[in-house]
Amino acid sequence: MLLDKIEELLKEVSTLTAKSADDVEQLRLRYLSKKGEINALMGEFRNVAADQKKVVGMKINELKQSAQNKINELKDQLETSEAQSDDIDLTRTAYPINLGTRHPLTLVKNEIIDIFARMGFTLYQGPEIDDDQHVFTMLNFAADHPARDMQDTFFIERSNTMDVTKNVILRSHTSNDEAHYMSTHEPPIRVLCPGRVYRNEAISARAHCFFHQVEGLYVDKNVSFTDLKQVLLTFAREMFGADTKIRLRPSYFPFTEPSAEMDISCNICGGEGCGFCKHTGWVEILGCGMVDPHDLEACGIDPNVYTGYAFGMGVERIANLKYRVSDLRLFSENDTRFLREFEGA
């Protein structure tokens, strides 16, 4: 009886067919798995008379080998059929697919965030498309103030030419995030605002119509310019090295008073003077200052109780200094030859 069953299975195996890899796998499970037909025969083999064990055993082995060969044959046929198929996606990335790396701007932005996070700053990201109220008006830009010309932006909607606060625009700085945050949170505030910004600039090696900024804001009681200087000195040394020096030069920003530009000692020549720093030994990296009382009041914070400082830097500028990239257009051209240079970073 067992020999008859084996013969039936041999005939069955010889006629097996499959239309997909799943079908092949189901056949393998049916015949060759621990709960399959052939393994079940091995259980019945224990009851075979001693004088027939050799013959039956050879037949079971023959069945097992036939099933294995047939399943392998079906698998090879499917693979060959797929390889010769006309239904090929010609847009598919060629194999092997090389692993990429993080973009240099992402590397620098993450490093900036990490440094300030260790100093207690939390992350906040606001809208790239915003109203004039948050981008300019709440930050002490009067409707006719000439400082608006410093940040010529792109307009999405100009619904009321008589009231600029109603305009919808692409933000020209991430300071709008600070206006949003101060309007919805009470001091103490210690927040970092990274993001992409837009300005109507002629594209060149030193300027682009979009770039990336990281701005920081700290508002609390008794915040002083000394606190600001120490935070920025710590940042500069963490980013560019322990020997880095800073200097603060008086400047003007509508939303801070007093305001300053911050330079670092040139990390290429070590402050000795070179072509990159125009032989001054210093390179500008950010603007900063004490938050103007008007800004605090516009956001619902009492300027008689609280003071604060703010700072902002371009991520491309920091990346230029850190990796010595001479043309910032390289950051947005997606040239893989350039991007591969940062795999080690």
Side-chain angles (χ1 to χ4, degrees):
M1 292 292 291
L2 187 56
L3 284 172
D4 293 339
K5 190 173 183 179
I6 294 172
E7 289 294 340
E8 290 178 8
L9 287 173
L10 279 168
K11 292 179 182 179
E12 187 176 306
V13 165
S14 67
T15 60
L16 292 178
T17 60
K19 295 181 179 180
S20 67
D22 288 338
D23 291 345
V24 174
E25 178 62 14
Q26 290 302 317
L27 292 174
R28 187 191 69 80
L29 293 174
R30 178 180 174 184
Y31 292 101
L32 299 173
S33 68
K34 290 183 178 180
K35 296 182 179 180
E37 298 276 4
I38 295 175
N39 208 48
L41 292 176
M42 298 300 293
E44 296 181 39
F45 181 72
R46 292 192 294 266
N47 301 322
V48 174
D51 59 338
Q52 293 187 358
K53 279 187 179 291
K54 182 178 180 180
V55 176
V56 174
M58 292 175 63
K59 276 292 184 182
I60 291 176
N61 286 334
E62 180 185 348
L63 173 61
K64 184 176 181 179
Q65 190 62 46
S66 296
Q68 185 66 64
N69 291 340
K70 188 65 176 180
I71 288 171
N72 289 340
E73 179 186 334
L74 293 173
K75 188 183 296 184
D76 291 340
Q77 287 175 357
L78 286 171
E79 290 177 354
T80 302
S81 176
E82 289 178 1
Q84 295 175 348
S85 173
D86 292 333
D87 187 19
I88 299 175
D89 182 3
L90 298 177
T91 65
R92 187 177 65 183
T93 303
Y95 289 99
I97 299 175
N98 295 322
L99 292 178
T101 183
R102 292 186 185 276
H103 193 278
L105 294 183
T106 301
L107 293 170
V108 172
K109 182 190 72 173
N110 289 346
E111 188 172 355
I112 294 170
I113 291 171
D114 179 65
I115 291 170
F116 283 106
R118 285 185 267 124
M119 290 189 278
F121 285 81
T122 58
L123 207 59
Y124 178 76
Q125 292 181 296
E128 291 186 15
I129 300 176
D130 207 350
D131 54 43
D132 185 288
Q133 181 74 13
H134 288 87
V135 177
F136 290 125
T137 306
M138 294 175 71
L139 298 173
N140 207 26
F141 286 84
D144 57 351
H145 200 290
R148 286 175 178 263
D149 295 336
M150 298 164 56
Q151 300 186 19
D152 191 12
T153 189
F154 296 96
F155 289 84
I156 302 297
E157 179 182 319
R158 301 183 71 175
S159 56
N160 188 341
T161 56
M162 303 301 294
D163 185 1
V164 296
T165 64
K166 304 297 184 183
N167 291 332
V168 178
I169 58 181
L170 292 177
R171 65 182 180 187
S172 59
H173 48 195
T174 55
S175 302
N176 70 314
D177 294 356
E178 298 172 6
H180 280 287
Y181 197 89
M182 286 193 290
S183 300
T184 55
H185 294 76
E186 295 182 358
I189 293 170
R190 196 191 298 250
V191 66
L192 200 67
C193 306
R196 183 163 46 191
V197 300
Y198 306 84
R199 296 184 188 177
N200 186 15
E201 300 271 5
I203 298 174
S204 68
R206 297 177 61 87
H208 211 294
C209 61
F210 72 88
F211 56 99
H212 300 78
Q213 274 191 339
V214 175
E215 297 201 19
L217 172 71
Y218 178 37
V219 179
D220 204 347
K221 295 178 181 178
N222 303 316
V223 177
S224 69
F225 205 97
T226 303
D227 300 321
L228 170 62
K229 180 181 179 182
Q230 189 59 46
V231 163
L232 295 180
L233 177 61
T234 301
F235 162 73
R237 289 179 172 173
E238 288 286 325
M239 176 62 72
F240 298 105
D243 296 330
T244 304
K245 298 180 178 63
I246 69 169
R247 73 175 183 182
L248 298 170
R249 295 177 288 105
S251 187
Y252 167 78
F253 301 108
F255 34 82
T256 54
E257 181 62 37
S259 303
E261 301 276 3
M262 190 183 96
D263 304 331
I264 63 167
S265 53
C266 181
N267 65 324
I268 295 177
C269 66
E272 296 296 324
C274 64
F276 186 82
C277 62
K278 299 179 182 179
H279 302 284
T280 64
W282 299 94
V283 181
E284 176 193 333
I285 66 166
L286 59 83
C288 60
M290 300 301 293
V291 179
D292 193 295
H294 173 275
D295 295 7
L296 296 175
E297 191 172 2
C299 296
I301 297 174
D302 188 350
N304 296 314
V305 178
Y306 296 100
T307 55
Y309 62 69
F311 56 84
M313 68 191 78
V315 179
E316 282 85 347
R317 181 67 167 166
I318 304 299
N320 279 352
L321 290 168
K322 188 173 181 65
Y323 296 122
R324 304 180 186 182
V325 178
S326 59
D327 191 333
L328 63 80
R329 288 173 294 190
L330 290 168
F331 291 127
S332 56
E333 290 178 346
N334 294 323
D335 189 328
T336 56
R337 295 170 299 176
F338 170 72
L339 298 176
R340 285 196 195 102
E341 295 180 17
F342 300 89
E343 290 178 348

